[in-house]
């Protein structure tokens, strides 16, 4: 099971931790794990490369671990990050609705 923890502060997503493999399918063929990873990693790339925000992150592929934390942001960058990360959360939540036996979602 993959545990996804999304931390909000003042209504804004400030960090995310995803830990573990979903166990939906065999390694290399797990469509749930692949979908979840794609949603999260694409959002992280969007925040870093499209919005230009310097995000601290740690990734350990073998463990299925990814954590990122946003710095304090000026209003325009915060707006850009919110659009990307709120969309990410919509994707994670949708996946969670269908595969809650394999994903645990905590909103903090």
């Amino acid at each position: 099971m993959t545990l996804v923890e999304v931390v909000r502060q003042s209504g804004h997503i400030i960090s995310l931790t995803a830990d573990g493999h979903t166990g939906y399918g065999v390694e290399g063929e797990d469509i749930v794990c692949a979908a979840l990873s794609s949603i999260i990693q694409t959002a992280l790339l969007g925040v870093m490369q499209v919005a230009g925000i310097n995000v601290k992150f740690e990734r350990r592929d073998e463990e299925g671990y990814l954590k990122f934390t946003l710095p304090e942001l000026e209003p325009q960058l915060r707006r850009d990050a919110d659009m990307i990360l709120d969309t990410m959360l919509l994707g994670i939540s949708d996946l969670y609705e269908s595969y809650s036996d394999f994903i645990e979602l905590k909103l903090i």
Side-chain angles (χ1 to χ4, degrees):
M1 177 172 285
T2 301
L3 170 61
V4 179
E5 290 184 350
V6 178
V7 178
R8 287 187 181 268
Q9 185 176 64
S10 301
H12 306 287
I13 295 173
I14 60 166
S15 76
L16 175 137
T17 304
D19 192 12
H21 296 285
T22 65
Y24 178 80
V26 297
E27 186 176 335
E29 298 178 15
D30 189 331
I31 61 170
V32 175
C33 199
L36 182 60
S37 295
S38 293
I39 291 167
I40 294 169
Q41 290 183 60
T42 299
L44 178 57
L45 286 170
V47 168
M48 291 169 50
Q49 294 182 8
V50 175
I53 299 169
N54 185 18
V55 179
K56 290 176 56 176
F57 70 94
E58 179 182 356
R59 189 172 129 183
R60 296 190 301 266
D61 292 338
E62 292 298 317
E63 300 169 33
Y65 180 86
L66 175 65
K67 178 177 183 173
F68 64 80
T69 305
L70 276 69
E72 290 288 324
L73 299 171
E74 61 184 57
Q76 181 59 45
L77 286 178
R78 181 74 259 175
R79 182 181 166 280
D80 294 345
D82 286 349
M83 287 194 301
I84 294 167
L85 297 177
D86 289 346
T87 302
M88 173 198 71
L89 186 54
L90 288 173
I92 293 170
S93 297
D94 187 59
L95 198 58
Y96 170 73
E97 284 182 31
S98 297
Y99 298 100
S100 60
D101 289 346
F102 305 95
I103 300 168
E104 182 178 351
L105 178 58
K106 288 187 178 180
L107 304 175
I108 301 170

